[in-house]
Amino acid sequence: MNAEELAGTIQEALEEGRTAAAPEALEAIRVKYLGRKGLLPRVMKGLKDADPSERAQLGKLANQLKQELGKLLGARKQELSGASGADAANFDYTLPGQWRQLGTRHPISRVIEDTAEIFARLGFTVAEGPDVETGYRNFEALNTPPHHPSLDAQDTFWLESGELLRTQTSPVQIRVMETQPPPVRVITPGRCYRRDTTDATHSANFHQIEGLYVDKCVSLADLKGTMAYFARELMGPSVGVRFRPHFFPFTEPSVECDFSCHVCGGKGCSVCKHSGWIEIAGAGMVDPRVFKRVGYDPAGVTGYAFGMGVERIAMVKYGIKDIRMLYDNDVRFLKQFK
Ligand code: PHE
């Protein structure tokens, strides 16, 4: 075989390699050209008898055949084996399937959503406000002037802008009343912030749900009836409520609202600290000064407001002993709440 013929044969060999459609075909090409009895050894053996003027050229071509064809066959083999992996005939049906864990609702979301749903039946809509609030809406508009002692307990994370991370959801009452005339019937769930050191029952970041009802002739009896309905719907049909006198700057009179213990039925147990009652909400009749601030006529309307801690409700409802479990994002804990 002279140099010209050999060059042509190499091109054919490469073309065969490029078009081979199965690993077996590639192997046959390798045997034919590079194998022990193939073309390459024959060319090498023939070199010593070859025309001296062609010998160098033939040697170069033999090398080209070995290198290029070897490389091409290797690459094609990989291509073909990759393709056959996806082949239905080679699919291993006994391999474990892809498993996706279904998410669950977080206890905090559950309490907020369940509460919104219960109050929706009473005609309450949901309103929201920003976490960053003005000192005016968080305190002053709620009848809490800067020198007021109750500010100390709540004085919190002030920002350089003079605004603060709201300490309660009550400023959303102000936002709602600033933007719409009475009647008003809203609940306002959201995140709040206080300068609290974290322990089993405190967190500097927590959630509240505020409620506000303003209309003609709204009374404390309406508040009590509403809270009693809410308590039964949320905790169970035998749960009752009681009011204890309290103080809030923006309600007058003010009360704290307790639910009878849903675990022991009021007899006393560890959940209710053996008192039979569980403190759930602060509430009261909206102070006329608050109405004046937002431009409502205190002689024409009355209203009640209440505010409750979402984490606290979640803890007593689901028997969670440590508030931090609500923030750890441990799926072993969270997946209990289907
Ligand atoms: N905002 C009050 C608190 O955080 C709760 C409250 C809301 C009390 C509405 C009365 C009326 O303690």
Side-chain angles (χ1 to χ4, degrees):
M1 193 182 278
N2 65 26
E4 199 179 322
E5 284 166 350
L6 181 55
T9 308
I10 291 173
Q11 289 315 312
E12 276 167 32
L14 290 173
E15 186 56 28
E16 278 174 49
R18 277 192 284 270
T19 52
E24 297 75 26
L26 290 174
E27 179 58 13
I29 295 166
R30 192 192 64 78
V31 169
K32 179 172 161 195
Y33 294 102
L34 308 177
R36 217 155 31 90
K37 290 184 182 149
L39 177 65
L40 184 65
R42 267 184 279 130
V43 173
M44 298 302 275
K45 227 193 259 159
L47 276 182
K48 61 179 186 324
D49 304 323
D51 188 329
S53 66
E54 278 208 322
R55 197 176 289 152
Q57 181 64 8
L58 281 167
K60 227 168 146 185
L61 285 167
N63 202 32
Q64 184 195 352
L65 174 65
K66 188 174 165 191
Q67 299 297 329
E68 284 189 23
L69 186 63
K71 217 160 117 191
L72 175 76
L73 293 178
R76 290 285 293 137
K77 195 169 160 189
Q78 267 204 339
E79 257 175 55
L80 288 175
S81 68
S84 71
D87 198 36
N90 289 324
F91 185 76
D92 183 353
Y93 291 96
T94 64
L95 284 173
Q98 278 186 2
W99 183 63
R100 237 162 262 215
Q101 219 172 348
L102 260 193
T104 57
R105 279 194 302 161
H106 193 281
I108 291 178
S109 305
R110 287 172 66 117
V111 170
I112 291 176
E113 287 165 17
D114 293 355
T115 302
E117 202 258 319
I118 293 166
F119 277 96
R121 287 181 231 147
L122 300 175
F124 285 73
T125 54
V126 173
E128 285 180 312
D131 291 15
V132 174
E133 195 45 277
T134 59
Y136 172 76
R137 288 201 188 88
N138 196 84
F139 293 123
E140 275 160 72
L142 291 162
N143 203 30
T144 316
H147 60 267
H148 198 282
S150 79
L151 212 117
D152 285 350
Q154 293 201 1
D155 204 356
T156 182
F157 305 106
W158 290 93
L159 308 177
E160 276 170 12
S161 62
E163 294 166 310
L164 74 161
L165 297 178
R166 65 180 175 194
T167 62
Q168 50 190 352
T169 41
S170 305
V172 190
Q173 290 182 30
I174 303 300
R175 288 181 176 272
V176 170
M177 290 191 284
E178 278 172 348
T179 49
Q180 72 170 80
V184 171
R185 223 182 301 176
V186 290
I187 63 161
T188 73
R191 210 178 266 264
C192 305
Y193 306 81
R194 285 188 200 177
R195 217 177 29 182
D196 273 330
T197 305
T198 304
D199 63 20
T201 53
H202 293 85
S203 165
N205 171 198
F206 60 100
H207 298 73
Q208 282 191 339
I209 301 175
E210 190 89 1
L212 175 68
Y213 180 22
V214 183
D215 205 342
K216 290 193 184 90
C217 306
V218 177
S219 76
L220 200 69
D222 297 316
L223 172 62
K224 199 161 184 183
T226 304
M227 291 315 269
Y229 174 74
F230 172 60
R232 285 196 302 271
E233 292 298 305
L234 189 74
M235 295 301 205
S238 58
V239 170
V241 298
R242 75 171 182 190
F243 283 177
R244 284 177 290 114
H246 199 72
F247 171 80
F248 294 104
F250 41 92
T251 46
E252 185 59 36
S254 300
V255 296
E256 282 215 297
C257 177
D258 301 339
F259 289 4
S260 64
C261 183
H262 61 290
V263 177
C264 63
K267 286 195 216 55
C269 67
S270 63
V271 172
C272 58
K273 299 202 187 95
H274 305 284
S275 73
W277 295 93
I278 299 171
E279 188 188 314
I280 293 288
M285 300 307 294
V286 179
D287 195 301
R289 290 184 190 208
V290 174
F291 284 145
K292 248 188 242 157
R293 288 263 189 187
V294 296
Y296 281 15
D297 173 14
V301 290
T302 51
Y304 64 69
F306 58 85
M308 48 205 178
V310 176
E311 280 80 351
R312 172 139 181 82
I313 294 175
M315 288 170 78
V316 297
K317 185 167 179 190
Y318 302 119
I320 299 164
K321 294 261 173 330
D322 193 316
I323 197 170
R324 287 167 285 202
M325 298 182 106
L326 294 168
Y327 311 120
D328 283 346
N329 278 339
D330 185 334
V331 285
R332 290 167 303 180
F333 166 73
L334 293 173
K335 74 180 175 195
Q336 301 174 83
F337 304 95
K338 287 275 186 297

